[in-house]
Amino acid sequence: MTVYSSTVKRFGAIEIGGTKTLVAAAESVDDLADHRRIPTTTPDETLEEVIGELESAGVDAVGVASFGPVELRPGHPRYGYITSTPKPDWSDTPVVQIFVERLGVPVGFDVDVNGAALGEGRWGAAAGMDDFAYITVGTGIGGGVVVAGSPVHGAPHPEVGHVVVRRHPDDDYPGSCPFHGDCLEGLAAGPAVEARFGRPGNELSGSEIEQAVELVTFYLAQGFRNLVYAVAPARLVVGGGISKMHGFHETVRGSLTAELAGYPYEEAHLAPEFVVPPDLGDMSGLAGALILAERQSV
Ligand code: ZN
């Protein structure tokens, strides 16, 4: 008698975020809705909970999309680490090594925004596209840039939120980036909105929302212009908490069109679908983590 074992593989998908970590044991993308949400506290506590979850589920491979900066160069002595983050306790955390040792399965790894870009590129707002960017505007600003079908890695990976922008003439806020002060993230991410208006973006109302969106998109349009000129994406998928403010996508599209000033003339830049929200909502990163795990098992 032959015993047939199931050939369906089960993957561990993990998104480690600055405030929350999502984990799911999944055989397909449809299983991701049934994920667990764990607060991101210390690496010991948070990763232990994730490991416990996946141990009891049993997985064949794991994919991790993590907040950065992370080391992605294979062969680098610190490959698989979260490196020099300002987030307390997380600097120099060997994420990949911990999962490999504890779970004994292959582990795929990328920075969170590249994970989100992979997810949107397969099942979401950039499905089937080879050249696009996923940008998140929330507590920070980050982006995964996909060129010829692959997220850009390098030394160590792009940081599209920390580019230089010119100031709005009426804005004297010094900026909230701990490294650069008034870089794009320092002027347009959640903390900068909260500092100017006294409340987080999701608690603003009426004309305050309009003002905040106007100001934030003034800066973001410059960041997007830099991306358009540097890597020529065919679409910008823009998510994150700040992007959920009323009128955000429409306003940033208008500001970007003004920034590009018709150069070069490109139909795609003028289409409403050039700047869109993610289709997978807050699941983009977890979907990307699933892809990273799948790639380990073939
Ligand atoms: Zn910065």
Side-chain angles (χ1 to χ4, degrees):
M1 192 182 89
T2 310
V3 177
Y4 294 96
S5 64
S6 165
T7 52
V8 177
K9 296 208 164 164
R10 181 175 287 186
F11 303 108
I14 304 159
E15 182 183 11
I16 306 175
T19 55
K20 62 178 193 299
T21 292
L22 307 182
V23 55
E27 287 170 9
S28 79
V29 68
D30 302 324
D31 299 336
L32 295 180
D34 189 22
H35 62 273
R36 209 176 132 210
R37 188 182 165 126
I38 295 163
T40 307
T41 54
T42 64
D44 282 353
E45 258 177 33
T46 305
L47 300 184
E48 197 57 44
E49 284 211 46
V50 169
I51 287 163
E53 186 79 13
L54 295 180
E55 266 174 350
S56 60
V59 290
D60 300 297
V62 163
V64 185
S66 171
F67 71 87
V70 296
E71 181 54 64
L72 298 173
R73 284 165 284 195
H76 190 285
R78 301 209 305 165
Y79 170 77
Y81 278 56
I82 293 174
T83 56
S84 54
T85 174
K87 187 171 169 56
D89 302 320
W90 283 83
S91 277
D92 298 316
T93 300
V95 175
V96 169
Q97 287 81 342
I98 290 171
F99 285 123
V100 167
E101 273 171 31
R102 294 290 305 280
L103 295 169
V105 296
V107 177
F109 185 60
D110 212 325
V111 69
D112 50 4
V113 285
N114 279 346
L118 285 172
E120 289 294 328
R122 176 129 153 221
W123 294 295
M129 301 184 89
D130 284 333
D131 300 284
F132 66 95
Y134 169 89
I135 300 119
T136 179
V137 189
T139 326
I141 297 176
V145 181
V146 174
V147 174
S150 297
V152 173
H153 290 179
H157 46 77
E159 288 281 5
V160 306
H162 293 273
V163 296
V164 177
V165 288
R166 66 183 183 290
R167 276 186 166 273
H168 191 285
D170 301 329
D171 185 18
D172 58 6
Y173 175 64
S176 63
C177 175
F179 301 99
H180 314 113
D182 62 354
C183 65
L184 174 59
E185 175 174 300
L187 291 170
V193 170
E194 187 167 350
R196 291 193 189 93
F197 291 86
R199 276 169 296 137
N202 61 0
E203 290 178 18
L204 301 181
S205 56
S207 64
E208 283 178 330
I209 297 179
E210 223 170 286
Q211 278 175 40
V213 167
E214 193 72 43
L215 191 61
V216 160
T217 56
F218 170 83
Y219 292 119
L220 283 168
Q222 298 179 55
F224 295 174
R225 167 184 167 174
N226 295 340
L227 261 178
V228 166
Y229 289 151
V231 291
R235 180 163 295 169
L236 302 172
V237 181
V238 187
I242 292 291
S243 78
K244 294 175 184 170
M245 294 178 78
H246 182 74
F248 174 92
H249 288 89
E250 200 185 344
T251 311
V252 80
R253 246 178 244 132
S255 308
L256 176 57
T257 301
E259 279 290 337
L260 297 178
Y263 180 82
Y265 180 76
E266 167 56 49
E267 294 273 351
H269 294 164
L270 303 172
E273 60 270 19
F274 187 52
V275 184
V276 295
D279 265 1
L280 304 176
D282 296 329
M283 289 290 100
S284 320
L286 204 57
L290 177 64
I291 296 171
L292 293 169
E294 272 179 12
R295 287 180 177 172
Q296 293 297 310
S297 75
V298 288

